[in-house]
Amino acid sequence: MAKQWLLKEKSAELDSALAKEFKIPPLVKEILEARNITTRDELTAWFNEEALEDPFQMYDMEKAVSRIQQAVEEMEPIIVYGDYDADGVTSVTILMAALEEIGAMAAFYIPNRFTEGYGPNEEAFRSFADDGVGLIITVDNGVKGHHEVEVAKSLGIDVIITDHHEIGETLPDAYAVIHPAHPDGHYPCPHLAGAGVSLKLATALMGRVEPSLIGFAAIGTVSDLVPLTGENRWLVKKGLDALNQSLPAGVRALLTQASHQGEVTEETIGFIIGPRLNAVGRLEDARPAAELLMEQDPEYAAELAKSVDAYNIKRKAVVQDMTEAALAQAADKVAQGLNFLIITGENWNEGVLGIVASRIVEQYYRPTIVLNLGFDYAKGSARSIVQVSMFDYLTANEALLSKFGGHHMAAGLTMPLENVEKLEQALNDLIEEEGELQPVLEVDAEVDMSHVTVDAIRQLDKLRPFGTGNPQPVFKLNDLTITQNKAIGQQGAHMKMMLNDSLTALKWSGGQLVHDYPAETVVDVCGKFQLNEWNGHVTPQMILEDVRTDSVRYIDYRNQHASRFAFLKDEDVIYLINPDRPRQNEHYFYYGDNLSGHDKIVLRDLPEDLTAFSESMKSSTAKQIYVIFHSAVQVYFDGMPSLDKFRQLYKILFKEPVNLVQQGLSICQTLGVSPDALKFMIEVLKERGLVHDEGSLLVVNKEAGKVDMQASPVYAARHAQLEREQQLLYSSFDSIKNLINDKMF
């Protein structure tokens, strides 16, 4: 589906004096303006590396620290109660390190996704009381645990909640609630991840910012997809610095197991570390992930890393199997015209339903809910698109749900089995009001090719780290000529272009587009810049988000083996053929037919009627034309025998009757023509009444008078075919494109 390119509007320009003062290069200036960072205060906040806030600005922080210190002094057992995702296990790791340093008697507990679910659990809290625990500190959860907090209080346990999730109408009646968006607080960064909140409490307890703990906080922050703006941006920036200076043993072991070398970046966290930590809790108990992060012995950390990586491999296999089944369902529902998809399966792993839903949204750009069907309930995850608020849609139908929670782009839900079909119908009725659902690509800036240099791309690092809220910039380049294009990778899965002979552009999973964008096509492209380093050479490179052209694209397959264009059988194309051939199906049209409304056409046959060919081209609205011009018999290389050769042939035949089977080859050698040309010449002579067959002999009609060879219909037909081949089959491809353009426009 074609994407809508939206160029971000700039509310103000960055003053040149400020740009000079803050040493902001032109390409970076474009992005800051697109993101409305143009005033002195905004620039100062953006470039201020001392932006980590005082943890005691958080509401209830002093109260929480005092209570923890009391527990340490009284040797009171403490439980750190975490969550099973990457943010949760890093939050646990951070706070456990701080508690250990200050001498606390602390242990941690992470609920099981499948048997206990997310957040505080009454049964677990009661077991803590039986073990003599006096203080529970939640990390990355707890703000919705009203009942469980009351249970803990009734058991004589104080609960300190540290969380970052959305606050409901009221807060639990906990001993302290540390939340960056606390309704009674004024913390400058309300979007900290759970690991960020845990770091704040750890910093307050330890009296300093510990670099290794900032590294763990960076992992949790990037993995949880919170906005990388304000304090979060600097927390990740400083955390990456800390990780690159001194990797914790567990993180080092995990990267070694993943065969990662080189610098640790936000991409390293997002694509290597985070998914592996998440994989454990998606499949089983998440405790091994936390133990890996806390482990300091390199050898034991290596063993734990193997185990964690094995979970990730298993998670990929589970996701692959479920995705294949889910995509098959999705294809059927899309074919039925549904625009809000509910995909169901039995015994599906509930830990990966969100990943599967995301894959379907990527494929079909439709909001999707993926449900595991239990004995009497359905439970699952939902992912949406920009135009549709999943939270609002589910809220409008909450009578059909047992419970749900989420936001605009994602949600989780549980519902009775008998309501699944009702919900799908209701959601599809509702989405009809949205109109056409078109993917949107936000573009930060249009730039000139002259600005795309190695130095300019290096300067974009001033904007890092990239992530949610501060995505890697997307640039648009206009009117570039494709000078090379080919499929690369296994089975040609990816596309590699050369633009203007100077910029390499890669489209991952875009190998099928190679045929759509042949060399010499003028295109506009959108993508992200990076540097390609090879054999000591550094050159600019673009990772394509999208490519398009306003001009008609022509692909030349004339006089090529059919294997070169065999892929067309799987494309949504129509074929143009001559009227003497049968139509194989509804995709076949005759020259002369109206072609309006078809985007891709294949000129399969060499047209026998150029007037009919012109009529079809005048009606065409195609943006892509494949030129084959197949002809079973070609005369181009034989050409048209001269009239003098006709006279020579007539003289040979005049002398005596000829047996062509016996004498044909000799006559060809004498005349210097091919056997096909000789056959043509004899057909003309017969048609003109100059010769006739008598048995096996060709005999001259000596009574015939003088005739005009060129008036023969056979002669005229060959002459016309020769002209068509010269004009369409053996002319330059530029000539073909100009000819078709003249007809179309």
Side-chain angles (χ1 to χ4, degrees), residues 25 96 133 139 268 379 435 437 522 633:
M96 285 296 294
V133 171
V139 290
T268 311
K379 182 179 180 182
L437 302 176
V522 177
V633 177

Side-chain angles (χ1 to χ4, degrees), residues 637-638 664 668-669 671-681 718:
F637 292 104
D638 283 342
C668 287
Q669 292 172 345
L671 297 178
V673 298
S674 70
D676 285 338
L678 178 60
K679 290 178 183 178
F680 158 71
M681 294 170 71
R718 183 182 180 94

Side-chain angles (χ1 to χ4, degrees), residues 195-410:
V197 180
S198 187
L199 177 70
K200 290 298 166 183
L201 178 55
T203 300
L205 290 170
M206 298 167 68
R208 71 179 193 282
V209 180
E210 173 58 41
S212 64
L213 300 189
I214 299 181
F216 288 126
I219 292 172
T221 299
V222 172
S223 299
D224 214 51
L225 304 178
V226 294
L228 294 191
T229 56
E231 184 179 19
N232 275 342
R233 177 168 173 262
W234 288 106
L235 188 154
V236 173
K237 191 175 180 66
K238 290 180 177 295
L240 289 172
D241 289 342
L243 290 171
N244 283 301
Q245 289 174 16
S246 178
L247 275 174
V251 178
R252 181 182 297 280
L254 194 58
L255 291 176
T256 299
Q257 183 65 32
S259 300
H260 173 79
Q261 296 179 339
E263 184 182 12
V264 177
T265 67
E266 61 269 35
E267 287 90 353
T268 311
I269 294 174
F271 294 103
I272 297 178
I273 301 174
R276 284 166 170 76
L277 295 177
N278 278 323
V280 185
R282 289 189 187 280
L283 299 181
E284 293 184 19
D285 193 303
R287 189 176 185 90
E291 290 175 342
L292 170 64
L293 296 181
M294 296 179 195
E295 184 56 51
Q296 298 182 22
D297 178 73
E299 291 186 6
Y300 188 49
E303 292 301 315
L304 287 171
K306 289 180 183 178
S307 175
V308 168
D309 193 58
Y311 279 108
N312 190 53
I313 294 170
K314 183 178 179 182
R315 187 269 306 170
K316 288 181 179 179
V318 170
V319 169
Q320 179 66 26
D321 291 344
M322 287 175 55
T323 299
E324 289 178 2
L327 283 173
Q329 279 191 52
D332 288 341
K333 290 177 180 290
V334 170
Q336 296 169 26
L338 298 181
N339 287 319
F340 201 122
L341 309 181
I342 295 186
I343 310 299
T344 62
E346 296 181 358
N347 299 315
W348 277 3
N349 186 303
E350 294 173 6
V352 300
L353 296 179
I355 298 175
V356 176
S358 295
R359 300 279 175 86
I360 296 172
V361 173
E362 290 172 9
Q363 179 85 10
Y364 292 105
Y365 199 72
R366 285 167 169 79
T368 300
I369 298 172
V370 179
L371 297 171
N372 176 48
L373 304 181
F375 178 71
D376 59 355
Y377 72 93
K379 182 179 180 182
S381 295
R383 296 294 183 268
S384 195
I385 58 178
V386 174
Q387 296 95 325
V388 174
S389 170
M390 186 63 72
F391 184 82
D392 290 348
Y393 270 53
L394 293 179
T395 299
N397 292 279
E398 61 182 328
L400 297 173
L401 307 175
S402 302
K403 63 178 181 178
F404 79 98
H407 51 80
H408 185 102
M409 296 299 289

